[in-house]
Amino acid sequence: MSIGCIIQARMGSVRLPGKVLMMLDEKNPSLYYVITQLQNCKSFNKIIVATTDLKDDDKIEEFANSLKIECFRGSSKDVLDRYYQAATKFSLSTIVRITADNPLIDPTLVDDLIGRFNSGNFDYVSNAHIRSFPFGTETEAFSFGALENAWKNAKTDYEREHLTP
């Protein structure tokens, strides 16, 4: 088992559909910057884009593949299951959760958070549970055991859709 980063991405945003592949400059979309920022992290070596099995998200898989990034396809409504299945497939013992609409994610903050996670006997560490950094830098790390526990015990649609409540 290993530490891996799963980037949550979908085209079906209610507020701004397609935002993860919207161009932020003349050359690259938001997801490109999320991925390239995370490639600067030193605390993990596996990046996975987890998207839905909906046709609209074929574009996300194609984009991830063009960058030689693994893509996992799963439920559009059950994000918890999507993460659990991705973590299982890639044998992750620790999961770093990043959303694809945060192109300014800071690799130093991510590495620091993973360092904190690894420094104790933690199941979950976040810099957003109590807001301690600017919006767009949210990072969560959790053990596979905690993810599996949530996956087995989550009952409500809210718990299945929002992953870490």
Side-chain angles (χ1 to χ4, degrees):
M1 289 252 191
S2 63
I3 299 173
C5 180
I6 300 178
I7 303 169
Q8 184 174 323
R10 65 187 175 103
M11 295 296 284
S13 168
V14 174
R15 291 176 298 200
L16 186 58
K19 67 183 170 185
V20 301
L21 290 182
M22 284 186 173
M23 301 303 275
L24 294 186
D25 56 26
E26 293 82 31
K27 293 169 45 177
N28 298 302
S30 178
L31 184 56
Y32 170 84
Y33 291 103
V34 174
I35 290 169
T36 57
Q37 286 291 94
L38 292 169
Q39 287 173 326
N40 290 302
C41 290
K42 296 172 177 57
S43 52
F44 57 82
N45 58 8
K46 180 60 113 182
I47 298 173
I48 301 142
V49 172
T51 192
T52 80
D53 50 17
L54 298 176
K55 180 90 174 120
D56 282 352
D57 291 322
D58 290 354
K59 296 172 193 167
I60 291 173
E61 182 175 23
E62 290 165 13
F63 185 77
N65 289 340
S66 77
L67 296 177
K68 309 263 188 285
I69 299 293
E70 300 270 8
C71 187
F72 181 85
R73 306 287 296 263
S75 174
S76 63
K77 302 252 188 251
D78 192 341
V79 179
L80 181 57
D81 185 66
R82 195 181 332 151
Y83 263 78
Y84 177 77
Q85 298 302 334
T88 299
K89 177 179 179 180
F90 293 101
S91 300
L92 302 180
S93 58
T94 300
I95 298 93
V96 178
R97 177 185 181 217
I98 303 290
T99 56
D101 57 357
N102 289 336
L104 300 178
I105 193 71
D106 183 335
T108 302
L109 288 178
V110 174
D111 282 338
D112 288 349
L113 185 116
I114 295 168
R116 176 76 173 146
F117 182 88
N118 289 333
S119 74
N121 189 24
F122 299 110
D123 286 316
Y124 176 84
V125 173
S126 172
N127 69 353
H129 181 64
I130 297 173
R131 176 116 349 241
S132 52
F133 290 94
F135 286 98
T137 61
E138 296 87 359
T139 304
E140 297 173 293
F142 41 89
S143 67
F144 180 80
L147 177 62
E148 186 172 46
N149 186 45
W151 180 77
K152 286 179 178 176
N153 294 298
K155 303 293 183 228
T156 67
D157 289 345
Y158 182 84
E159 292 169 329
R160 306 298 303 184
E161 182 182 350
H162 295 285
L163 192 65
T164 58

